[in-house]
Amino acid sequence: MKKIVMIPLDDRPCNYKYPTLLPKEDYEIILPLKECMPKEKKEANHEKLEKWLLSNVKDAQVLIISMDTFVLGGLVPSRLHNHSYNELVSRIDIIKRIREINKDIIIYGFELIMRCPDYSLSAEEPDYYAICGKEIHRLGELRHLAQLNKLTDDELKEKEELEFSIKKEYIDDYLNRREINLNVLLKTLELVNDGLFDYFIVPQDDASVYGFTALDQIRVRKYIKDNYLHTKVSMYPSADDVGLSLISKAVSTLNNYSPKVFVKYSSPLAPYSIPWFEDRMQDETIKYQIISAGATRVYSFDEADIVLCVNMVSKMLNKDDPDFVRVYDIERNLSEFINYIKYVHNNKRIVSVADTSFCNGSDIEFIKLLSKENLLFNIDSYAGWNTSSNTIGTTLPTSVLYFFGKDEVGKIKFLAFRYLEDYCYMDYARERVTVNVLPKYNLDKYNLGDMTSAIEKEVYKELHNVIDKELPILNKYIKDFKVTLPWKRMFECELEIEYEV
């Protein structure tokens, strides 16, 4: 049994639980106790993590390590900490110590470029972000455009007004932390250049074309280019799926084979679309995700082990957008796409479905078509949650692991899990509970507080209603489940499923 030691990004299900749910092969995932992990704005317990890590890597074949967690305290704490550069950099030496303990271990790492979201909310940012977060984001865009000499007269005036209106203490705090985090990342990349990491990913959470995150990305890219690290470091929009990709890469490496992936889109314009919260065409991100999952992209069906079927349109739209019909019904052919999925299945290739046409949930029309055509459990992997990259970075690694292990039971279980979460919860139950239940208790969907347990019970009831009315086939595979809202908010849920398979 191969041993993969992993320090995830935080304790949320997508980072801590999903790795344990993937179809099995001849490996085991070793995770630290949850009590050591970051939770919301609480930092990871660095001393306990370090002790756990050094004791577990001795006989491991692979280490997958979130440097955000180990060095910066976690994804959310990385945006809040007050640690000095010197203190944080001293933690990076753990990689050298691990190499001394186990010279044959394969080490994969990842560390994010700090995001700059386009809204004023402090749930995962400093408190002042609730006051001026949107303005900080916009200032970043305008400063970036100014560097490129692209500011219009109106934008120059807007920039001057923002420079004056945002409190200096807020912007100084924000940019000082960004600078520390960026320099820590650049120092970590020196270890990649020295050969201490075998592969490294620099994900971008909530990326955009212009802004503070894009400016940081330029400096990281310069280091990669100057040191010709193109095949050792990948930088692309992503975050919560990266751990799954690196598990997939680890298993591919241990099996000494790179599965061949052919990509099929539901629309000819889809490869050129820029998904929400991302900064480039979808097809360019997919190239990185295939590499990061330990696979190789091929450009003919005959070569393929896996076909990644991407349900995407020319641009993401809300359903009330006047262009919705043109984009979703005219520029995309779901009939042909469904028939192609059948063709892939009938020709004994692994079918990996990425449902990326909407953020934060499945495409309802598409899922109902899969159900009507009896394809829901005749495909091999599915995801349709949060961002496009999260979705692709979940379904593709799942299909790679299924390719190696042919774990039929694990495959069915994870498909059922995904339909329950991505479709039943994200498309139906979350919205219905948010709209119909939370107002009764005067609750904010980002902070359920002491009412979390009561809301979990409401979600549980609503999920059963959704299954019975919208996707009754799940009753064949799911006996019962438990619902937890781990961060006391509606954004994500944790599902403990009792399966029938």
Side-chain angles (χ1 to χ4, degrees), residues 23-41:
K24 296 298 182 283
E25 204 259 342
D26 184 25
Y27 72 92
E28 60 176 339
I29 299 288
I30 310 298
L31 297 168
L33 292 174
K34 256 191 179 181
E35 64 194 45
C36 301
M37 295 294 296
K39 183 177 180 66
E40 300 176 81
K41 292 186 174 184

Side-chain angles (χ1 to χ4, degrees), residues 12 49 129 159 163 176 201 232 289 294 307 339 359 373 387 396 431 439 462 471 479:
R12 285 173 299 150
L49 269 186
Y129 217 85
K159 178 177 177 295
E163 297 278 10
N176 179 62
I201 300 176
K232 291 288 187 181
Q289 291 188 292
V307 179
N339 282 329
C359 278
E373 298 297 327
T387 69
L396 182 59
E431 181 67 13
E462 189 58 50
L471 214 60
K479 185 176 181 181

Side-chain angles (χ1 to χ4, degrees), residues 203-218:
Q204 301 161 77
D205 187 17
D206 287 2
S208 57
V209 177
Y210 301 109
F212 290 125
T213 301
L215 287 168
D216 288 353
Q217 181 190 134
I218 290 169

Side-chain angles (χ1 to χ4, degrees), residues 375-402:
L375 288 170
L376 285 175
F377 289 92
N378 280 325
I379 62 174
D380 300 296
S381 67
Y382 171 87
W385 69 284
N386 207 10
T387 69
S388 171
S389 287
N390 291 154
T391 285
I392 295 161
T394 300
T395 190
L396 182 59
T398 304
S399 59
V400 170
L401 293 169
Y402 175 69

